Amino acid sequence: MIFEKPGESLRQAELAVPRPGPGQLLIRVHACGVCRTDLHVIDGELTKPKLPLIPGHEIVGSVVELGESDSRFKIGDRVGVPWLGWTCGQCSYCTNNRENLCDRASFTGYTLDGGYAEYTVADQRFCFPIPDVYSDAAAAPLLCAGLIGYRSLVKAGDGKRLGLYGFGAAAHIVAQVAKYQRREVYAFTRPGDNQAQRFALDLGAVWAGGSHEFPPLKLDAAIIFAPAGDLVPQALRAVGKGGIVVCGGIHMSEIPAFPYSILWEERSLCSVANLTRQDGLDLMALAPKVPIRTEIETFRLEEANDALNRLRAGKIRGAAVLVTGDTGA
Ligand SMILES: [Zn+2]
Ligand SMILES: [Zn+2]
């Protein structure tokens, strides 16, 4: 499924199977998650995609061919391919354990072709083994919603009362990890979205309400997954002194001006960008312990436009996942 121009639907096409270069794996894709970032690319809010582009950066598949040079994987291994597709290894970020900020990084499904396809190639150094307990489709959302969610949770610190704004793919995973860590989750959804609020309570949230509401107690931290800038002052008002607000998305509408008093008293505001390979290893080790259970809606690969439209409309419970062939679901 190919992206050619912002605002247009993806186009179904038959392409040659890509060839793995040195250090790359050729992967038969079994499942690929549909992430909000894909919408930001397709809607033209992220402005530097490779064109034409095969989107998708939550890929689960099996290795069918190895490029030249050593590999951690062998033919038949199941691997996950995340958003971070390549880094330079030399810049000041790469050499200081912050490869997520690499100046020259390449990103799967954005500057590299991704997983809305039957085959893809990926640099083996950036792929992860997937825990056996997960089916292909159930594992897919861990590769970005899970990873970015987990990185956001770490950034949010150790506070007990955690707010999650936007209860979709990332939040439904973070809520499970937070509960495992004995925190209290407060879920904020689109006003009136009773289904999402019930979903959050089912997953162990202690409170759920609309994003315009305030929780009964001040929060220690809040993570904003919804791409709505007006949630930033809202979340700052919901956290107590010393509270932390983390913006977990790659794009957000403009943040309205707000009075200094809601940042005062050592509240902090930050964003989370991309992931490191260590984040991936950490989450894959943690996921079966929690155990994280992903809630997914599966679509056939050729139904990618339908999945994207339903995500844009807020109609996906948990995460949308594209599946190819007979495996996956
Ligand atoms: Zn670098
Ligand atoms: Zn993503």
Side-chain angles (χ1 to χ4, degrees), residues 42-314:
I42 290 161
D43 293 343
E45 289 156 339
L46 296 181
T47 56
K48 290 177 182 144
K50 163 191 179 290
L51 284 176
L53 171 74
I54 300 170
H57 56 270
E58 298 180 294
I59 305 169
V60 179
S62 48
V63 177
V64 292
E65 197 179 328
L66 304 171
E68 281 169 50
S69 82
D70 288 346
S71 174
R72 295 143 61 219
F73 300 101
K74 58 184 193 306
I75 289 172
D77 283 355
R78 188 164 74 146
V79 293
V81 185
W83 168 250
L84 188 71
W86 184 87
T87 55
C88 78
Q90 290 167 355
C91 71
S92 61
Y93 299 107
C94 281
T95 51
N96 286 290
N97 295 322
R98 303 178 85 188
E99 65 180 354
N100 59 310
L101 301 177
C102 174
D103 287 330
R104 293 165 58 204
S106 298
F107 301 107
T108 311
Y110 185 43
T111 56
L112 303 167
D113 278 330
Y116 286 19
E118 291 163 299
Y119 291 90
T120 193
V121 291
D123 186 322
Q124 60 90 18
R125 296 171 300 167
F126 293 85
C127 299
F128 310 120
I130 300 287
D132 290 338
V133 295
Y134 292 99
S135 71
D136 297 325
L142 297 175
L143 270 301
C144 183
L147 271 170
I148 298 295
Y150 177 68
R151 194 174 170 85
S152 302
L153 181 63
V154 172
K155 277 256 185 199
D158 299 327
K160 184 169 168 68
R161 287 192 292 272
L162 176 74
L164 300 176
Y165 286 80
F167 207 86
H172 98 284
I173 292 172
V174 170
Q176 296 174 56
V177 178
K179 194 181 169 210
Y180 170 76
Q181 296 172 334
R182 300 176 181 280
R183 307 190 201 215
E184 293 174 1
V185 171
Y186 296 75
F188 300 82
T189 70
R190 295 183 202 213
D193 190 345
N194 298 328
Q195 263 188 321
Q197 289 168 19
R198 207 171 316 123
F199 180 39
L201 295 170
D202 287 347
L203 285 172
V206 297
W207 179 93
S211 57
H212 60 299
E213 294 179 51
F214 287 99
L217 295 164
K218 288 282 189 188
L219 304 173
D220 297 310
I223 306 173
I224 303 175
F225 291 117
D230 52 5
L231 293 176
V232 170
Q234 190 69 16
L236 281 170
R237 287 188 168 97
V239 298
K241 288 187 271 192
I244 303 170
V245 175
V246 180
C247 300
I250 193 168
H251 172 84
M252 196 178 244
S253 57
E254 197 160 276
I255 300 170
F258 56 82
Y260 179 58
S261 59
I262 65 173
L263 184 61
W264 166 241
E265 294 168 329
E266 301 199 347
R267 290 171 181 85
S268 46
L269 173 63
C270 67
S271 69
V272 156
N274 314 317
L275 68 136
T276 65
R277 282 173 275 182
Q278 190 61 47
D279 293 332
L281 297 173
D282 292 348
L283 180 70
M284 293 306 157
L286 178 65
K289 287 188 202 154
V290 172
I292 297 171
R293 292 199 174 82
T294 56
E295 177 92 11
I296 54 172
E297 276 185 45
T298 57
F299 298 80
R300 311 282 311 163
L301 173 60
E302 54 271 29
E303 295 170 333
N305 288 309
D306 184 30
L308 287 160
N309 289 334
R310 286 177 55 83
L311 177 61
R312 188 185 284 106

